[in-house]
Amino acid sequence: MFHFELDVHTHTIASGHAYSTLGEMVNAASRRGLKILGVTEHAEGVPGTCSYLYFSNYSVVPRHQAGVDLLLGVELNILDYEGTLSMPERLMNQMELRIAGIHKFCYVPGTKEQNTDAIVNAMKSGWVDIVSHPDDGSVPLDYDIVTDAAKEYDVLLELNNNSLAHPQARPNVRENNLEMLGLCKRKGIKILVSSDAHHESQVGIVDNCLTLLDEVGFPLDLIVNTDAEAFLRHLEKKHAGTKLPNLYPHTHERQVEK
Ligand SMILES: [Zn+2]
Ligand SMILES: [Zn+2]
C-alpha cells in the first residue's frame, strides 16, 4: 500500500504564476491526508515572483495548520555551469526546504556535460536538499553522473508530476525520467515525488508519477514520500548546524476527510 505522506514542492500566488493562497494550499493538503506540506516559492530570476522580504518574513506563519505540518522554503534557480544559486547564503540559511532546479528564464542551456556540471556543482555546494525536475530534454543531463552525485552529496532527485502532466513543455520527459528511475533503482538511490502544484487542486496529486513508478517497478522503500519521518531525517542531516524557528515539526494524528 502506497502512503503518500508529503508533498513538499508547491507554489502559492506569491510565486507570480500560481493561483492559490497559502491557506487554500494547506486546506487542500489537509483534505488529502498529507502529513507535511512544503511550500517552495520561486526565488528571484523567475519573472513576477516574490522578493527577499517575503522569504525573510516566514517566521510569522504558524507551522501547524489544519492538522498539517508546514515547511516553508524556496525553489532556487541554478544559474550557471558552476552551480551558482539565486539567493544569498544568509537567506538560504533561513529556509526550511531548499529545492534547486534549472529554469530557462535565468539559465542558458549548455552541452550535456555543462548542464550536468551545473546540477552536480549545485549539489556539491551543500545547500541543496532536492533537485527539481531533472527531466527536461532541452537541458540534457548525464543521468549516470547525476545519480552518483545525488548519492554522494545526499540530495534527493525529484520525480515531478507537472512535467509528466505537460510533456509538451519539457521534451523527452518520460524517457528521461525512465532512465533516471532505472538508475536509481539499480543503485538504491532514494527519490522524491512532487506535485509541483501551482493551484490547490493539484496538491498531493501525483498520478502521473505513480503510473511511471509502477511501470518501472520502483521499490517503495526508495520513495521518501512514504515516510514523513525519513524525510525529516534527511532534512535534519542536510540542515545540521543551522538555527531555525520551528524547524522540524512533529507529525500528529488527525481526522481526514474521505
Ligand atoms: Zn512555477
Ligand atoms: Zn521548477
Side-chain angles (χ1 to χ4, degrees), residues 10 15 32 50 60 69 102 125 133 139 149 173 191 199-200 220:
T10 70
S15 277
R32 295 188 190 120
C50 46
V60 303
D69 295 325
I102 288 174
S125 74
H133 43 71
V139 187
V173 58
I191 62 143
H199 185 266
E200 60 169 312
L220 285 186

Side-chain angles (χ1 to χ4, degrees), residues 92-141:
M92 279 201 285
N93 202 37
Q94 296 173 37
M95 298 296 103
E96 293 163 7
L97 269 174
R98 294 185 286 258
I99 301 180
I102 288 174
H103 300 99
K104 283 178 284 181
F105 296 112
C106 49
Y107 178 88
V108 180
T111 63
K112 186 186 263 197
E113 192 181 17
Q114 287 170 321
N115 300 327
T116 303
D117 280 350
I119 298 267
V120 170
N121 286 330
M123 290 198 263
K124 201 189 277 186
S125 74
W127 285 106
V128 178
D129 305 320
I130 297 157
V131 170
S132 53
H133 43 71
D135 56 20
D136 182 352
S138 65
V139 187
L141 297 174

Side-chain angles (χ1 to χ4, degrees), residues 9 11 42 46 75-77 99-103 132-133 158 160 170 196 198:
H9 179 182
H11 301 270
H42 286 286
V46 171
E75 185 180 10
L76 301 154
N77 303 300
I99 301 180
I102 288 174
H103 300 99
S132 53
H133 43 71
E158 179 192 65
N160 184 295
R170 294 181 174 136
D196 194 1
H198 284 63

